[in-house]
Amino acid sequence: MNIKMPLQALRNGSLVLHPTDTIWGLSGDATRPETVELLRKTCQIPPQQGLIILLWDTSMLDRYVAKVPDLAFDLIEYAEDPLTVVFPQGKNVAENLLAPDRSIAIRVVKSGPCLDLVKSFGKPLVSTIAAISGQPIPKKSEDITPDIRQAAQEIIPAPAGWTSGKPSRIVRLGVGGEFEFIRK
């Protein structure tokens, strides 16, 4: 898979449509407020809803989370399915990406077609389902609506054999290590 053009699109602040480790995603640079705003507008995501960022390694967590509970590393390492962890306070990302309580949702991509993209970009990607908020999750590329496709400067095709699965599990962590599953 050639990711040269998608990487350039991300560096320019544009959106990229691509298969993730879970489903079809629409992603951009998580550090650029204008990119986050474009993503929200395109997918009609309200400002009170936090967004997910994708990272490529747990060693990156300290850069984007004010205080990482030790439990987070174990949860991510031992999760058999993709897991998004909501941390109490995010940092070093666009302010309009954070939830109103300043929490940040992070998924460390362990495998799948977007791992090279996230690693090569070298910064977090803000990512959401490639659909209008509240609409069905697209299972195939053909299910993605034209308005979502047009919002993406680059589209990365799914590799042979890749199928869209289900969204990641989501767990919310407290500063003291307490946790609650939001989506199982």
Side-chain angles (χ1 to χ4, degrees), residues 129-148:
I129 296 168
I132 303 298
S133 184
Q135 295 299 310
I137 297 168
K139 295 290 183 189
K140 304 178 298 228
S141 173
E142 301 80 44
D143 297 339
I144 300 168
T145 61
D147 51 334
I148 299 290

Side-chain angles (χ1 to χ4, degrees), residues 10-150:
L10 292 170
R11 289 183 188 114
N12 292 339
S14 299
L15 300 176
V16 173
L17 180 63
H18 62 98
T20 70
D21 54 335
T22 55
I23 56 176
W24 276 98
L26 188 63
S27 300
D29 184 341
T31 65
R32 295 175 76 144
E34 66 277 11
T35 301
V36 174
E37 186 54 38
L38 176 60
L39 183 70
R40 283 188 183 282
K41 183 179 176 192
T42 300
C43 296
Q44 300 175 19
I45 300 169
Q48 65 272 18
Q49 183 178 328
L51 295 167
I52 291 174
I53 67 168
L54 302 178
L55 296 175
W56 62 95
D57 193 272
T58 55
S59 67
M60 305 299 299
L61 291 174
D62 286 331
R63 291 186 191 177
Y64 304 104
V65 178
K67 183 176 180 348
V68 182
D70 290 338
L71 177 62
F73 297 100
D74 290 339
L75 284 172
I76 293 167
E77 182 181 342
Y78 295 111
E80 292 180 14
D81 295 321
L83 178 70
T84 299
V85 180
V86 180
F87 294 93
Q89 188 169 4
K91 63 181 184 178
N92 299 325
V93 295
E95 285 292 318
N96 58 344
L97 181 146
L98 300 173
D101 64 359
R102 304 208 36 85
S103 62
I104 188 169
I106 298 176
R107 186 165 74 248
V108 175
V109 178
K110 296 179 182 179
S111 64
C114 77
L115 181 56
D116 284 342
L117 181 68
V118 178
K119 265 176 131 168
S120 297
F121 185 54
K123 294 196 293 186
L125 288 180
V126 58
S127 191
T128 192
I129 296 168
I132 303 298
S133 184
Q135 295 299 310
I137 297 168
K139 295 290 183 189
K140 304 178 298 228
S141 173
E142 301 80 44
D143 297 339
I144 300 168
T145 61
D147 51 334
I148 299 290
R149 285 179 172 284
Q150 290 169 357

